[in-house]
Amino acid sequence: MDPDRAGVPLRGRGEAGDVSNGAPAGRSLDDLDRRIVAALQLDGRASWSAIADLCGTTGPTVARRVQQLTDEGALKIAVMRGAGGSESHQFFFLRLKCGPTMALPVASRIAERPDVRFVTLLTGPHDIIAEVQVPREAGAYHTVVREVQTIPGVEAVIGELTLHVYKVSHDWARELLGLQPDDPVDTGEFEEFAFDAVDEAILDRLKLDGRASFAEVAEEVGLNESTVRRRFERLRSRRWAHVVTLVQAAALGFESEIQLRVDVEPARLTEVAQVLARRPEVRYLALPLGGNCLVAEVIARRTEDLYAFTTESLAALPGVTGWSASLELLTIKRGFVETPWWRSEVADVAAGLEVGELTG
């Protein structure tokens, strides 16, 4: 196998989240690591030589560093499903309040559900935010809420339907390569999608390793290579699937990841959404059913940048009447994929507590 061609698989990650020997929490990457990760965010299936050209290094160096970061649990390349609804499913936000010390166990249980797209622990009035894919059928929301309410440690659950997704950005570190951010607008790019059983099998395999070759995927799902390639390119061109590079924001030098709820005058929701979608620090933006508001995920390199965003951008935006925000503490799942570092972070914290108890 040519180690420089697109689609070369990464070794050492049979199952998402298998990070028993993962990197320490908050692992720091050097400048070249960061440029490589930024290039992978542009296209996680690009050839090593293409990535090397962007980063000013060699293909073998890129391959070696990506393999090391993957083995350490600092990086994961995966194929995620699009953020739009489907003909048979749509998305549902859950905001949870948990009992003392129960937020992490509850979030872990929720992340085990295959229908959960996103899970993170938060500061503020809610301990957890999760996004669930639910069937388009009567009683589906009630069933999800009832099931989550039975998890030990859950004290309160608020659910709301996702009406529209304006933006999902997977290449928020473009500046590390000297590139300008894209200028996305609400063009309906997150159209409803329809997967058949073959598409599901292909996506399930690529969720484990986004760089797996088409030949490998074809062998596992029982198809020929050209069929797998054609189907994957169709899913990708319609934005029904995305190749993404999961990495901690802190590892790339970003201090904060924020969950933001922006209160907006009802008549100006679309106008405000289109303005916010063009902001590079906004990497997710959606309209929930509950209240006149937009839900955004914001990433900030420094607290000063976050201050400027809120006081100069949000505060001056016509139609915005207020906002509330929470810090993301630990993201466990994103795009139906378990992050490769969360288990090692929890293990590091537990080990630190044990050492403290022994020495205290």
Side-chain angles (χ1 to χ4, degrees):
M1 177 179 293
D2 180 0
D4 189 47
R5 67 179 176 83
V8 63
L10 298 173
R11 304 183 306 277
R13 281 295 174 272
E15 297 294 335
D18 177 16
V19 292
S20 56
N21 296 312
R27 181 192 190 280
S28 179
L29 280 63
D30 65 24
D31 289 341
L32 180 55
D33 286 333
R34 292 177 178 184
R35 292 198 302 274
I36 290 171
V37 171
L40 286 169
Q41 286 187 337
L42 294 177
D43 184 359
R45 289 183 66 86
S47 67
W48 296 139
S49 60
I51 294 170
D53 289 343
L54 279 174
C55 300
T57 185
T58 65
T61 297
V62 170
R64 183 176 64 253
R65 291 208 176 207
V66 172
Q67 188 62 61
Q68 180 182 3
L69 292 171
T70 303
D71 289 342
E72 291 174 344
L75 176 75
K76 183 177 179 65
I77 301 170
V79 172
M80 294 181 180
R81 303 184 186 199
S86 70
E87 294 178 352
S88 58
H89 292 80
Q90 52 196 341
F91 287 103
F92 192 60
F93 276 115
L94 294 175
R95 288 178 283 156
L96 284 72
K97 184 68 178 176
C98 303
T101 74
M102 293 302 295
L104 181 58
V106 170
S108 302
R109 284 281 302 277
I110 291 174
E112 292 173 356
R113 295 178 59 113
D115 56 355
V116 168
R117 191 190 74 85
F118 176 78
V119 182
T120 190
L121 301 179
L122 298 167
T123 62
H126 298 98
D127 299 305
I128 300 169
I129 283 183
E131 194 173 17
V132 187
Q133 188 181 53
V134 295
R136 294 179 184 267
E137 57 186 41
Y141 309 118
H142 174 69
T143 299
V144 170
V145 172
R146 185 179 67 247
E147 290 173 352
V148 170
Q149 284 176 329
T150 63
I151 298 175
V154 173
E155 293 187 345
V157 180
I158 297 176
E160 52 189 349
L161 178 66
T162 302
L163 295 181
H164 187 75
V165 177
Y166 295 94
K167 179 183 181 181
V168 177
S169 175
H170 300 299
D171 59 351
W172 38 271
R174 294 167 62 94
E175 64 183 81
L176 296 175
L177 297 169
L179 302 175
Q180 294 298 313
D182 287 335
D183 187 27
V185 294
D186 181 18
T187 60
E189 65 176 89
F190 302 109
E191 60 183 287
E192 292 185 357
F193 47 76
F195 297 144
D196 62 21
V198 174
D199 292 330
E200 295 278 2
I202 292 171
L203 291 176
D204 285 345
R205 175 61 182 87
L206 290 172
K207 183 172 72 173
L208 300 178
D209 179 5
R211 289 188 65 89
S213 69
F214 293 127
E216 289 178 308
V217 176
E219 183 177 355
E220 293 192 24
V221 301
L223 296 171
N224 61 58
E225 181 178 350
S226 61
T227 298
V228 171
R229 183 188 300 274
R230 184 177 64 253
R231 280 180 173 260
F232 174 75
E233 294 302 338
R234 169 179 168 270
L235 294 173
R236 196 176 186 184
S237 66
R238 296 190 178 185
R239 299 184 184 272
W240 293 352
H242 305 275
V243 183
V244 298
T245 300
L246 291 174
V247 66
Q248 289 176 298
L252 294 183
F254 293 85
E255 293 180 356
S256 303
E257 293 175 279
I258 309 295
Q259 283 286 328
L260 189 67
R261 292 180 69 88
V262 183
D263 299 321
V264 182
E265 296 174 10
R268 309 190 81 158
L269 279 167
T270 300
E271 175 188 342
V272 171
Q274 291 178 336
V275 173
L276 289 179
R278 288 191 286 269
R279 299 288 307 195
E281 57 267 79
V282 176
R283 69 181 187 189
Y284 175 84
L285 185 67
L287 174 64
L289 178 60
N292 304 314
C293 70
L294 297 166
V295 174
E297 187 178 30
V298 177
I299 184 169
R301 182 168 294 282
R302 302 178 305 158
T303 301
E304 291 81 1
D305 297 327
L306 190 59
Y307 173 76
F309 173 73
T310 54
T311 60
E312 298 173 12
S313 299
L314 273 183
L317 188 56
V320 172
T321 60
W323 61 84
S324 59
S326 298
L327 284 169
E328 294 181 8
L329 300 176
L330 179 63
T331 299
I332 294 176
K333 203 170 185 181
R334 186 180 293 278
F336 298 100
V337 179
E338 193 173 306
T339 61
W341 58 80
W342 80 269
R343 294 183 187 275
S344 58
E345 278 210 13
V346 172
D348 288 343
V349 171
L353 290 175
E354 291 178 0
V355 170
E357 291 173 355
L358 292 174
T359 59

